[in-house]
Amino acid sequence: METANIAAQKEKVLQVLKKRPLIISGPCSAETEQQVMATALGLKATGKVDVLRAGIWKPRTRPGSFEGIGTKGLPWLQAAKDATGLLTAVEVATPKQAEDALHFGVDILWLGARTTVNPFSVQDLADALRGVDVPVLIKNPINPDLELWTGAVERIDRAGIKDIGLIHRGFASYGNSEYRNAPMWHLAIEMKRRYPELLFINDPSHICGRRDNLVAVAQEAIDLDYDGLIIESHIDPDKAWSDAKQQVTPERLGAMLDEIVWRKETVHAMDHETLEKYRQQINHLDDEMIQLIAQRMKVADQIGQYKKENGITILQTNRWNEILEKAVIKGEKKGLSKDFITKYFDAIHMESIAHQNKVMND
Ligand code: PEP
Ligand code: MN
């Protein structure tokens, strides 16, 4: 590409990355030139897709499965991009793959879950990408470890990559049958709290591992204010060479995106002042709760002092059971679940014991 065209394409990439919701879709794997082109045209026709994804190198759990078409698939993606104007995105796991992808004009790179788990691989990629102006999306690691995910962001960030995004694709969990990869939403929310400025994408396909609950998971993500979705789409899903069970046709993808309620739009149309007032109330209540908890701990300190002076043990199980039982009954009357009250009081109890411990052993 000429320099002017390259600059124009880079500008286009930055614009597209700002679009909300940002929709990335395409086959799990590029298989044939015809399959990539037909899928891309189908996705373009929905009018809802911004980026064409395709796996070129596939990290498979067992050898002998289809491990990706390799570099020869990259020109297919380029042709699909020329035909549709969609941006392209590819998973890269080694410096050589990154180099090849960039050589064939791939717009966005992503690190797969099996790469994010390995700091050596992430660092190799970070070193290879130093000084390169390309957006990099980082999938969560396979295991539920936010420090690994954070570490990958730090390594890519320190290589000078300006546009980093996060993809939440769920976490492996032993014996979970409902999901292929359990979403563990709280971990994703914590990651979003750590990096509020980064693009945050949900990957319902790899969370679900099957088609029937893609919309439900996507909806949950949208309700949690994710910036976009990456969903696998294949022109003939049942015949896909990888992840056949979770892929949908471009047509079905278009219908699915129509089913999702994009609450952000609803919020825009809503009376912001009302929302702001509720938020203020919540802030006040949270402040008060912290004050009250702090006050409660002060009393715990005094109890600790008393117990110390009178040689009484910290933990008195009967007393605690009594507190908890009363709280559960009161809570349930006010519409608070037993589970919540138990967790909440357990946390309070632990903190209280820590306070008393400190007083008694100081
Ligand atoms: C993929 O996107 O096809 C893929 C391999 O995903 P993950 O890295 O999340 O397993
Ligand atoms: Mn896949």
Side-chain angles (χ1 to χ4, degrees), residues 15-68:
Q15 288 312 314
V16 171
L17 286 179
K18 286 189 199 137
K19 186 179 158 274
R20 299 291 177 271
L22 180 72
I23 306 294
I24 305 172
S25 186
C28 178
S29 303
E31 298 163 4
T32 66
E33 183 164 15
Q34 185 274 336
Q35 169 247 9
V36 170
M37 182 62 83
T39 309
L41 291 171
L43 291 171
K44 177 70 183 174
T46 66
K48 298 176 187 354
V49 174
D50 308 295
V51 181
L52 175 69
R53 63 147 284 156
I56 293 289
W57 301 278
K58 302 301 296 180
R60 303 309 294 274
T61 305
R62 305 276 301 270
S65 317
F66 174 58
E67 296 194 317

Side-chain angles (χ1 to χ4, degrees), residues 12 35 38 75 78 119 122 141 144 146-147 158 172 187 195 197 200-201 267 286 305-306:
K12 180 177 171 185
Q35 169 247 9
Q78 208 161 28
V122 176
L146 285 192
E147 299 315 312
R158 284 176 196 178
L187 294 183
Y195 293 106
E197 74 288 2
F200 205 68
I201 306 276
V267 169
D286 284 348
Q305 190 60 39
Y306 182 88

